[in-house]
Amino acid sequence: MGFAFGQTIGPILAGAISDVMGSIEAGFWVSPLLLAIAACVNLLQRPPVPAESPALAGKSS
């Protein structure tokens, strides 16, 4: 879901900033900045915990 959100908001935000600044160059700087922020947020995520298989739920090792 986060990926889809970024794919939607990133270009809209870059375009809005380009419009406000009056230069497409601003949008070209915002895009990699947003990508870098997204990469940093990704580093903060914990790895998913694998779900226990229902077939193994009653068995002990």
Side-chain angles (χ1 to χ4, degrees):
M1 184 165 141
F3 180 78
F5 180 75
Q7 288 289 313
T8 303
I9 297 301
I12 292 171
L13 186 58
I17 290 173
S18 291
D19 288 345
V20 169
M21 300 298 283
S23 167
I24 196 164
E25 183 180 344
F28 286 144
W29 281 106
V30 169
S31 296
L33 182 64
L34 291 174
L35 181 61
I37 291 169
C40 291
V41 169
N42 185 39
L43 291 174
L44 299 175
Q45 294 179 348
R46 291 180 287 168
V49 177
E52 188 174 318
S53 172
L56 300 175
K59 297 181 180 182
S60 59
S61 314

